PDB file of all heavy atoms in Angstrom:
ATOM      1  N   SER A  97     -15.766  49.885  26.898  1.00  0.00           N
ATOM      2  CA  SER A  97     -17.149  50.370  26.896  1.00  0.00           C
ATOM      3  C   SER A  97     -17.177  51.876  26.703  1.00  0.00           C
ATOM      4  O   SER A  97     -18.071  52.406  26.049  1.00  0.00           O
ATOM      5  CB  SER A  97     -17.850  49.999  28.202  1.00  0.00           C
ATOM      6  OG  SER A  97     -17.998  48.605  28.283  1.00  0.00           O
ATOM      7  N   GLU A  98     -16.195  52.576  27.256  1.00  0.00           N
ATOM      8  CA  GLU A  98     -16.134  54.027  27.085  1.00  0.00           C
ATOM      9  C   GLU A  98     -15.997  54.379  25.607  1.00  0.00           C
ATOM     10  O   GLU A  98     -16.672  55.273  25.102  1.00  0.00           O
ATOM     11  CB  GLU A  98     -14.972  54.621  27.866  1.00  0.00           C
ATOM     12  CG  GLU A  98     -14.898  56.124  27.718  1.00  0.00           C
ATOM     13  CD  GLU A  98     -13.776  56.747  28.516  1.00  0.00           C
ATOM     14  OE1 GLU A  98     -13.114  56.052  29.297  1.00  0.00           O
ATOM     15  OE2 GLU A  98     -13.559  57.947  28.336  1.00  0.00           O
ATOM     16  N   VAL A  99     -15.146  53.669  24.899  1.00  0.00           N
ATOM     17  CA  VAL A  99     -14.981  53.922  23.468  1.00  0.00           C
ATOM     18  C   VAL A  99     -16.269  53.586  22.728  1.00  0.00           C
ATOM     19  O   VAL A  99     -16.766  54.371  21.919  1.00  0.00           O
ATOM     20  CB  VAL A  99     -13.806  53.104  22.890  1.00  0.00           C
ATOM     21  CG1 VAL A  99     -13.763  53.208  21.375  1.00  0.00           C
ATOM     22  CG2 VAL A  99     -12.493  53.542  23.497  1.00  0.00           C
ATOM     23  N   ILE A 100     -16.820  52.411  23.015  1.00  0.00           N
ATOM     24  CA  ILE A 100     -18.002  51.952  22.284  1.00  0.00           C
ATOM     25  C   ILE A 100     -19.193  52.871  22.510  1.00  0.00           C
ATOM     26  O   ILE A 100     -19.896  53.233  21.569  1.00  0.00           O
ATOM     27  CB  ILE A 100     -18.341  50.497  22.678  1.00  0.00           C
ATOM     28  CG1 ILE A 100     -17.233  49.553  22.191  1.00  0.00           C
ATOM     29  CG2 ILE A 100     -19.690  50.090  22.122  1.00  0.00           C
ATOM     30  CD1 ILE A 100     -17.340  48.154  22.746  1.00  0.00           C
ATOM     31  N   TYR A 101     -19.424  53.283  23.752  1.00  0.00           N
ATOM     32  CA  TYR A 101     -20.627  54.057  24.059  1.00  0.00           C
ATOM     33  C   TYR A 101     -20.427  55.570  23.986  1.00  0.00           C
ATOM     34  O   TYR A 101     -21.363  56.286  23.647  1.00  0.00           O
ATOM     35  CB  TYR A 101     -21.183  53.660  25.429  1.00  0.00           C
ATOM     36  CG  TYR A 101     -21.736  52.262  25.409  1.00  0.00           C
ATOM     37  CD1 TYR A 101     -21.015  51.194  25.923  1.00  0.00           C
ATOM     38  CD2 TYR A 101     -22.979  51.997  24.844  1.00  0.00           C
ATOM     39  CE1 TYR A 101     -21.512  49.901  25.873  1.00  0.00           C
ATOM     40  CE2 TYR A 101     -23.489  50.707  24.796  1.00  0.00           C
ATOM     41  CZ  TYR A 101     -22.744  49.664  25.318  1.00  0.00           C
ATOM     42  OH  TYR A 101     -23.241  48.391  25.264  1.00  0.00           O
ATOM     43  N   ASN A 102     -19.242  56.067  24.310  1.00  0.00           N
ATOM     44  CA  ASN A 102     -19.030  57.515  24.348  1.00  0.00           C
ATOM     45  C   ASN A 102     -18.312  58.067  23.122  1.00  0.00           C
ATOM     46  O   ASN A 102     -18.300  59.273  22.909  1.00  0.00           O
ATOM     47  CB  ASN A 102     -18.256  57.909  25.607  1.00  0.00           C
ATOM     48  CG  ASN A 102     -19.053  57.639  26.866  1.00  0.00           C
ATOM     49  OD1 ASN A 102     -20.267  57.482  26.823  1.00  0.00           O
ATOM     50  ND2 ASN A 102     -18.372  57.578  27.989  1.00  0.00           N
ATOM     51  N   HIS A 103     -17.680  57.213  22.342  1.00  0.00           N
ATOM     52  CA  HIS A 103     -16.944  57.668  21.165  1.00  0.00           C
ATOM     53  C   HIS A 103     -17.341  56.842  19.937  1.00  0.00           C
ATOM     54  O   HIS A 103     -16.508  56.480  19.124  1.00  0.00           O
ATOM     55  CB  HIS A 103     -15.434  57.583  21.407  1.00  0.00           C
ATOM     56  CG  HIS A 103     -14.985  58.353  22.608  1.00  0.00           C
ATOM     57  ND1 HIS A 103     -14.959  59.724  22.632  1.00  0.00           N
ATOM     58  CD2 HIS A 103     -14.574  57.941  23.834  1.00  0.00           C
ATOM     59  CE1 HIS A 103     -14.537  60.133  23.815  1.00  0.00           C
ATOM     60  NE2 HIS A 103     -14.300  59.075  24.565  1.00  0.00           N
ATOM     61  N   THR A 104     -18.620  56.567  19.838  1.00  0.00           N
ATOM     62  CA  THR A 104     -19.141  55.757  18.735  1.00  0.00           C
ATOM     63  C   THR A 104     -18.760  56.342  17.385  1.00  0.00           C
ATOM     64  O   THR A 104     -18.538  55.607  16.425  1.00  0.00           O
ATOM     65  CB  THR A 104     -20.669  55.627  18.846  1.00  0.00           C
ATOM     66  OG1 THR A 104     -20.989  55.146  20.141  1.00  0.00           O
ATOM     67  CG2 THR A 104     -21.232  54.688  17.801  1.00  0.00           C
TER      68      THR A 104
END
Side-chain angles (χ1 to χ4, degrees):
S97 293
E98 181 178 353
V99 172
I100 293 169
Y101 291 101
N102 295 342
H103 303 288
T104 307

